[in-house]
Amino acid sequence: MKRKPILILIFISVIVLLSNCKKHEIEENGALDYLTKRTWKRAAVDKNPGSNPLLNIYFLPLECEKDDVYSFCIDGTMKIDNGTEKCDAKENKIEMGSYDITKSEITIKGVKYILTEVSPQQIKYVSLVSSQVGYYYAVMLLQ
């Protein structure tokens, strides 16, 4: 008789332990999953302005960038399909870039940026820009 409650307790403990492991694994891979599970386009409206660094200016997409599609691969590479609207006649249809979540870095068209947000709603990356009065952060968005 005492054996049955002990078995039930062990069974419940195993379920709780396994469910915690799975949840932890999902949390660890969250940013990678957000990046790789869908495609992204440049955006103009920040869905989370609270994550911006101080002294920032949004760099809105140019008309020729609005049809560009960003795809992130699980191996740390990314592909940019520059769409039909070209910013430059010499622009390649497909360009490659890279990212490193652990270093919070993304490299697009040879320029390295700081990843400040990776969420299901948007990717935010910034670059430090010097000006005559000091510096500011250029903020770019993908949604």
Side-chain angles (χ1 to χ4, degrees):
M1 286 245 186
K2 290 184 178 187
R3 214 177 184 145
K4 193 173 185 178
I6 291 173
L7 288 175
I8 291 172
L9 182 61
I10 291 172
F11 179 72
I12 290 171
S13 298
V14 167
I15 290 174
V16 168
L17 283 173
L18 290 177
S19 66
N20 282 344
C21 290
K22 184 69 174 172
K23 184 177 180 181
H24 181 68
E25 181 181 308
I26 291 170
E27 287 172 2
E28 273 185 13
N29 295 329
L32 183 61
D33 287 343
Y34 300 151
L35 283 171
T36 59
K37 296 295 183 198
R38 59 172 274 206
T39 58
W40 302 87
K41 287 188 171 192
R42 289 286 312 273
V45 178
D46 191 348
K47 294 182 178 183
N48 184 17
S51 68
N52 288 336
L54 294 175
L55 304 171
N56 65 75
I57 295 175
Y58 290 99
F59 271 63
L60 304 178
L62 302 170
E63 275 306 309
C64 59
E65 295 175 326
K66 289 183 178 179
D67 66 343
D68 295 359
V69 177
Y70 293 70
S71 303
F72 293 84
C73 301
I74 212 160
D75 66 356
T77 61
M78 61 178 271
K79 179 178 86 170
I80 304 166
D81 181 334
N82 287 313
T84 56
E85 287 290 321
K86 301 290 184 198
C87 294
D88 180 355
K90 298 176 190 171
E91 186 175 64
N92 294 323
K93 170 76 172 137
I94 304 293
E95 295 195 43
M96 299 302 291
S98 63
Y99 68 93
D100 187 334
I101 291 177
T102 59
K103 293 181 180 177
S104 297
E105 293 178 348
I106 184 171
T107 303
I108 300 173
K109 299 180 182 181
V111 179
K112 192 175 283 192
Y113 298 92
I114 303 164
L115 274 171
T116 59
E117 180 182 345
V118 178
S119 71
Q121 294 79 30
Q122 74 181 9
I123 298 168
K124 188 181 298 185
Y125 55 101
V126 302
S127 177
L128 187 63
V129 179
S130 8
S131 71
Q132 293 175 344
V133 293
Y135 69 91
Y136 64 90
Y137 287 92
V139 178
M140 279 72 66
L141 305 167
L142 297 175
Q143 294 175 352

